[in-house]
Amino acid sequence: MVQVIFLGPPGSGKGTQAARLSNVLQVPHISTGDILRTHVSQETDLGKQAKAYMNRGDLVPDQLILDMVQDRLSQPDAEGGWILDGFPRNVAQATFVEKEVLQNSEHHASGMEGNSALSIINLDVPDEILIERLLARGRTDDNEQTIRYRLQVYREQTAPLIQFYTERNQLSQINGNLSMDDVTSELTKVIA
Ligand code: AP5
Ligand code: MG
């Protein structure tokens, strides 16, 4: 059972590295941002509700996110582990992970003699590099105003999770301001 959680600001490489590790570790890459963008493009009820928040760079309300994540994690391909990218993103979501997700999987893994390995990783990258990377990428929410607001939302709501997981001795800090290959090799050392 491999369980990886990626924290890190917008543009830090969560999606890039999660996709690579998903191939190596053979567990699904679960990006809440990607799932939401699919809902937006398919114009589902959830997509219609989430769109304005995403365009502004605000977090989509927890009441919409938690069911979506629960549903994704209950699919058969997630039974053997997962890589979460962009979730949890505030203390309420982290509490949900502790109570609903990790306890269930401990339960699941209880016959497997401690085979469960959880890694919580923060990718650290300076703001000016983040802005440069995102402006070069150019997703619909990658304009300068929204990027700066996403960074503010990150500092206010997501960065407190660094302390949350540090206090629990669960956090690995990785320098995300290296080449993509070097970040991957640092990650492989922490997860192995
Ligand atoms: P989300 O899709 O999660 O976006 P984000 O957190 O802003 O992060 P990004 O996807 O922009 O960056 P990334 O860290 O994945 O970096 P990437 O690998 O792409 O969320 C979008 C929105 O959805 C949120 O604003 C919110 O509204 C909503 N949402 C999502 N989850 C939510 C939740 N849990 N609760 C509530 N709302 C939620 O890399 C960025 C660029 O840099 C790429 O072009 C890449 O090629 C390049 N790059 C990557 N690594 C390197 C490197 N080492 N060197 C040079 N370039 C690199
Ligand atoms: Mg991403």
Side-chain angles (χ1 to χ4, degrees):
M1 173 73 104
V2 182
Q3 297 174 322
V4 182
I5 293 175
F6 273 106
L7 305 177
S12 58
K14 302 182 296 294
T16 302
Q17 297 298 332
R20 290 175 169 215
L21 288 176
S22 166
N23 272 324
V24 176
L25 302 170
Q26 291 294 303
V27 292
H29 167 199
I30 300 177
S31 157
T32 45
D34 287 348
I35 299 172
L36 287 166
R37 279 184 288 279
T38 302
H39 278 278
V40 170
S41 72
Q42 294 178 347
E43 300 183 341
T44 65
D45 278 349
L46 171 57
K48 285 178 195 161
Q49 293 180 75
K51 189 175 178 177
Y53 294 97
M54 297 175 75
N55 285 342
R56 276 202 303 276
D58 260 321
L59 296 187
V60 174
D62 292 339
Q63 85 223 46
L64 299 176
I65 296 288
L66 297 181
D67 280 350
M68 183 186 95
V69 170
Q70 184 92 286
D71 181 63
R72 181 63 188 88
L73 289 173
S74 69
Q75 286 169 32
D77 67 333
E79 258 173 39
W82 34 255
I83 300 170
L84 283 176
D85 154 14
F87 183 91
R89 237 169 154 106
N90 59 27
V91 172
Q93 293 180 10
T95 308
F96 171 88
V97 169
E98 283 205 326
K99 291 203 173 125
E100 301 292 332
V101 179
L102 297 177
Q103 289 196 351
N104 285 345
S105 53
E106 267 166 35
H107 215 72
H108 242 92
S110 59
M112 304 202 299
E113 289 170 12
N115 256 346
S116 174
L118 171 67
S119 307
I120 303 174
I121 290 156
N122 185 48
L123 292 175
D124 191 26
V125 179
D127 278 10
E128 62 273 18
I129 304 284
L130 298 172
I131 294 168
E132 208 175 280
R133 285 184 186 177
L134 293 175
L135 286 174
R137 184 181 61 180
R139 208 168 66 194
T140 42
D141 56 348
D142 287 341
N143 57 78
E144 182 146 5
Q145 189 189 0
T146 307
I147 292 168
R148 289 196 185 278
Y149 187 63
R150 277 154 64 202
L151 288 172
Q152 183 189 331
V153 168
Y154 169 80
R155 274 191 293 273
E156 289 172 3
Q157 301 193 50
T158 310
L161 298 186
I162 293 172
Q163 198 192 339
F164 181 96
Y165 288 121
T166 302
E167 281 167 2
R168 289 163 174 74
N169 271 323
Q170 288 180 309
L171 192 74
S172 303
Q173 288 279 12
I174 297 284
N175 179 5
N177 191 19
L178 303 170
S179 73
M180 291 182 197
D181 286 348
D182 285 347
V183 177
T184 307
S185 81
E186 290 303 306
L187 286 169
T188 332
K189 286 182 206 158
V190 166
I191 291 165

